Amino acid sequence: MATNTADVAIVGAGILGVAHAYALARRGRSVVVFERSPQAAGASIRNFGMIWPIGQPAGRMHAMALRSRDLWVEVLTAARLPHFPTGSLHVVYRADEAAVAREFCEVAPTLGYACEWLNTAGVLARTQAVQPAGLLGAIWSPTEITVDPRVALAQLPGYLTERFGVQFRFGVAVKSIDLPIVEAGGEKWQVDSAIVCTGHDFETLYPEMFRASGVTRSKLQMMRTHPQPDGWQLGPALAAGLTLRFYESFQVCRTLPALQQRIAAETPEYDRWGIHVLVSQTAGRELTIGDSHEYGAAIDPFDRAEIDDLILRYARGFLQAPALEIAQHWHGVYAKHPDKPFLRFSPAPNVHVVTATGGAGMTLSFGVAEDTVKEMGF
Ligand SMILES: Cc1cc2nc3c(=O)[nH]c(=O)nc-3n(C[C@H](O)[C@H](O)[C@H](O)COP(=O)(O)OP(=O)(O)OC[C@H]3O[C@@H](n4cnc5c(N)ncnc54)[C@H](O)[C@@H]3O)c2cc1C
C-alpha cells in the first residue's frame, strides 16, 4: 500500500472539521480530511445556520463567537457563498418576557453585547415577519449572521481544495489512529498530527475517553417551509419569549426566574420537550423553524408529530409569512455536555479531539478551530 503524506489528518467533514482544515491551511499546513459519508451528513447540515453570538455568555465565549463570526464572513466571502448579515430579534408578547428583554438590554452593553430594546413601532420598522397584535417590543442585536448550512457544507470543501489544496476523502471512515500512520478506506497516510471532529459519534474513536468526559446527546426536531415568494424577506432571524429561558446569556437577568416559572406552570409541555422557537431563512428563501431538545445517549429514530405541532403553534404566535406550509421535517443530533460549550482533549500525543457540546457549534466553529491550532503551536 503506497503511503501518502500530509501535515495533519482531520476526521469528520462537519463544520468543526472544515473549520480546522481552514485554520491549518491558512497557516500553510497540508491537510487531509476523512469523512465517512459521501458528504457531510451530521448536525452541520441540519441546523438553522444561525451564527449567534447573542446566545453566548458574556466574556470568553461571547468574544470567541464574535471572532468566529468574522472568520465565517471571511471564508464565505472568499468562497463566494451566501451569508446574510441579518442581526436578530427576540420578540416579546408578555409582560414577564418584556421585563427580561428590557433588563438584558440595560445590562448587556456593559457586558460587551451590542443590543438594544426596540418598542413595537421599532420592531415593525425592522421586520415584516412578526405578528403585530400584542407585540410589546424586542431585543434587537446586529451581531448575528445567517448562513445556509446545506450550501456551506456542500461547497466549502471544494473551495478549500481549490484555494489551499486541502484533500477531502469522502466515504472513508477512520477506525483507528496510530500516529504517524492513519489507515482509512484502504489508504495509508503518514501525518504529524490528527484532529478528530466526529460530532456525536462517541463509539468509534477513543470511546473510553468520551465515556469519561460526561457527554451525552441532544436530539432536535426541525422543519422547513416551501420557498417564500420573491421579494419577501424574513429580515432579522427571529426568536421569542421561550428562547429567553434557553441561552446562558440571559441568565444574568434577575427577572428571568419569574418567566421560567410562568412557562413551567402554564405550558409544561414546552419544558418537557425542551422547546424554544427560532426562525431563519435559507439562500433558497425557505424558512427553517425549530426546535426541541431531548437529552440522552439513545436517540429515538422516530420523530414526534406532537413536538412539531407545539413548535408550529408557538411559531404562529409571533411569525407571519406568506408560505408557512411545511415542506420538510427532520431531526438532528449534537453532542451535549452539561456545562461545557466545547470539549477538547488529547487522547494520545499529537492527537486532538474537538467536539462542540453546547448546541452552538456553528457559531463557535471557526473560533474554536483557531484556538486549537494556536494550542498546537501554529
Ligand atoms: C437541529 C440542530 C440545530 C442547530 N442549530 C444551530 C445553529 O443555528 N447555530 C449554531 O451555532 N449551532 C447549531 N447547532 C449545533 C451545531 O449544528 C453543531 O454543534 C455542529 O454542527 C457540530 O459540528 P461537528 O462538525 O462537530 O459535527 P457534525 O456536523 O455532526 O460532523 C461530524 C462528521 O464526522 C463524520 N464522522 C464521524 N465519525 C467518523 C469517522 N470515524 N470517520 C470519518 N468520519 C466520521 C460524520 O459523518 C459527520 O459528517 C444545531 C444542531 C442541531 C442538531
Side-chain angles (χ1 to χ4, degrees):
M1 195 191 302
T3 304
N4 307 287
T5 58
D7 294 331
V8 185
I10 293 176
V11 188
I15 195 57
L16 265 287
V18 166
H20 282 85
Y22 178 62
L24 289 160
R26 264 174 99 235
R27 289 162 177 79
R29 306 291 139 174
S30 58
V31 180
V32 58
V33 182
F34 300 101
E35 166 56 52
R36 68 181 171 194
S37 304
Q39 56 192 30
S44 304
I45 60 155
R46 294 164 186 250
N47 58 54
F48 295 95
M50 290 171 155
I51 311 305
W52 205 248
I54 193 172
Q56 291 300 309
R60 176 178 176 232
M61 294 317 302
H62 183 240
M64 183 187 273
L66 290 173
R67 172 68 185 148
S68 191
R69 178 208 54 186
D70 292 349
L71 290 165
W72 263 110
V73 172
E74 177 185 283
V75 69
L76 292 178
T77 303
R80 297 172 192 235
L81 292 174
H83 53 287
F84 310 102
T86 54
S88 67
L89 288 168
H90 287 68
V91 293
V92 298
Y93 289 82
R94 302 282 292 260
D96 52 8
E97 298 168 357
V100 175
R102 280 174 172 282
E103 185 184 350
F104 185 72
C105 290
E106 270 162 33
V107 60
T110 66
L111 298 172
Y113 299 91
C115 56
E116 64 179 283
W117 167 257
L118 296 181
N119 64 18
T120 305
V123 179
L124 297 177
R126 283 208 177 266
T127 177
Q128 57 185 331
V130 306
Q131 295 283 357
L135 177 67
L136 297 178
I139 302 171
W140 155 246
S141 165
T143 54
E144 289 60 54
I145 64 168
T146 306
V147 306
D148 189 316
R150 300 184 196 178
V151 174
L153 271 293
Q155 303 292 328
L156 279 175
Y159 166 73
L160 294 182
T161 300
E162 199 176 295
R163 171 70 183 80
F164 298 105
V166 175
Q167 303 187 64
F168 282 83
R169 294 285 184 266
F170 284 100
V172 173
V174 175
K175 293 178 188 147
S176 67
I177 296 172
D178 189 9
L179 290 189
I181 299 299
V182 176
E183 276 189 38
E187 296 177 12
K188 195 168 176 186
W189 285 78
Q190 180 166 337
V191 297
D192 297 332
S193 318
I195 305 179
V196 175
C197 301
T198 46
H200 67 91
D201 183 320
F202 312 139
E203 286 82 13
T204 310
L205 293 170
Y206 309 110
E208 63 296 340
M209 305 283 284
F210 273 115
R211 212 172 299 122
S213 71
V215 279
T216 184
R217 295 187 170 95
S218 177
K219 172 187 172 185
L220 293 75
Q221 287 189 203
M222 301 283 287
M223 288 165 274
R224 190 172 267 196
T225 67
H226 294 280
Q228 302 301 312
D230 250 347
W232 189 93
Q233 291 292 331
L234 178 69
L238 296 179
L242 290 180
T243 296
L244 299 172
R245 83 204 201 294
F246 192 78
Y247 286 119
E248 212 181 317
S249 41
F250 301 116
Q251 285 174 13
V252 295
C253 297
R254 281 175 299 103
T255 47
L256 185 59
L259 170 62
Q260 289 167 322
Q261 283 154 25
R262 193 262 298 163
I263 290 170
E266 211 174 80
T267 46
E269 59 278 18
Y270 290 127
D271 280 353
R272 171 156 190 227
W273 300 115
I275 291 171
H276 74 129
V277 179
L278 302 169
V279 186
S280 63
Q281 192 167 24
T282 67
R285 301 195 315 275
E286 302 107 329
L287 299 180
T288 306
I289 304 175
D291 55 18
S292 53
H293 295 79
E294 293 171 83
Y295 299 107
I299 297 299
D300 184 350
F302 310 110
D303 292 349
R304 290 176 181 272
E306 175 194 355
I307 290 180
D308 288 348
D309 290 347
L310 285 166
I311 292 170
L312 284 178
R313 192 191 317 153
Y314 190 84
R316 287 200 183 94
F318 70 87
L319 172 68
Q320 57 175 16
L324 275 180
E325 303 76 33
I326 297 303
Q328 294 179 2
H329 299 257
W330 72 94
H331 69 254
V333 179
Y334 63 74
K336 171 73 185 163
H337 190 275
D339 45 60
K340 292 187 179 148
F342 63 92
L343 274 186
R344 187 161 44 214
F345 57 83
S346 179
N350 299 325
V351 180
H352 308 270
V353 175
V354 191
T355 310
T357 49
M362 286 292 272
T363 301
L364 297 172
S365 49
F366 285 89
V368 170
E370 192 173 65
D371 245 35
T372 308
V373 301
K374 278 184 192 156
E375 270 193 18
M376 291 168 77
F378 297 138

